[in-house]
Amino acid sequence: MIWKDIKSIDTIQDIYASNDTYILFKHSTRCPVSSMAKRNLEHDKNLIPEETVIYYLDLIAHRDISNAIADLWKVRHESPQLLIVKGDTCLYNASHSDIEMQDIIPFIS
């Protein structure tokens, strides 16, 4: 599993314009529930291929990008939040304790 930081709205717009499937993880560095969700994903990383990229958004540093994600994919902002998107469609959306690595598997195989 490879974490890839999202640091610009351009990255989100490129993902939105693509026809590939992307995994986005929105994380609040100040929230213990968010830290637990991230730890759980890291703990279960062996369930997915090693080269799987998960795009990581630090919500504290980039709330504007989080707002753009909510607007583009028509999902309510949550923290933590995991989205699987393809083009302009959000295929999957989970937040808080519902975030589990096993739910990612069907979208990457």
Side-chain angles (χ1 to χ4, degrees), residues 2-48:
I2 302 164
W3 292 110
K4 187 169 184 177
D5 288 342
I6 301 170
K7 295 186 178 185
S8 77
I9 289 180
D10 290 343
T11 301
I12 292 303
Q13 290 170 335
D14 289 346
I15 290 171
Y16 187 80
S18 173
N19 220 12
D20 294 329
T21 301
Y22 292 88
I23 304 165
L24 311 176
F25 179 68
K26 295 169 38 177
H27 174 60
S28 171
T29 56
R30 296 182 188 156
C31 173
V33 173
S34 193
S35 294
M36 180 190 69
K38 185 173 184 284
R39 258 192 322 274
N40 288 344
L41 289 174
E42 290 171 338
H43 180 265
D44 291 337
K45 67 183 179 185
N46 61 328
L47 297 177
I48 60 174

Side-chain angles (χ1 to χ4, degrees), residues 32-80:
V33 173
S34 193
S35 294
M36 180 190 69
K38 185 173 184 284
R39 258 192 322 274
N40 288 344
L41 289 174
E42 290 171 338
H43 180 265
D44 291 337
K45 67 183 179 185
N46 61 328
L47 297 177
I48 60 174
E50 193 173 307
E51 67 278 359
T52 302
V53 174
I54 298 180
Y55 283 80
Y56 169 89
L57 178 65
D58 177 344
L59 291 172
I60 303 302
H62 301 288
R63 181 58 195 257
D64 60 327
I65 298 173
S66 179
N67 291 340
I69 290 170
D71 290 342
L72 287 170
W73 283 285
K74 313 279 188 275
V75 294
R76 188 177 131 206
H77 165 78
E78 299 278 351
S79 173

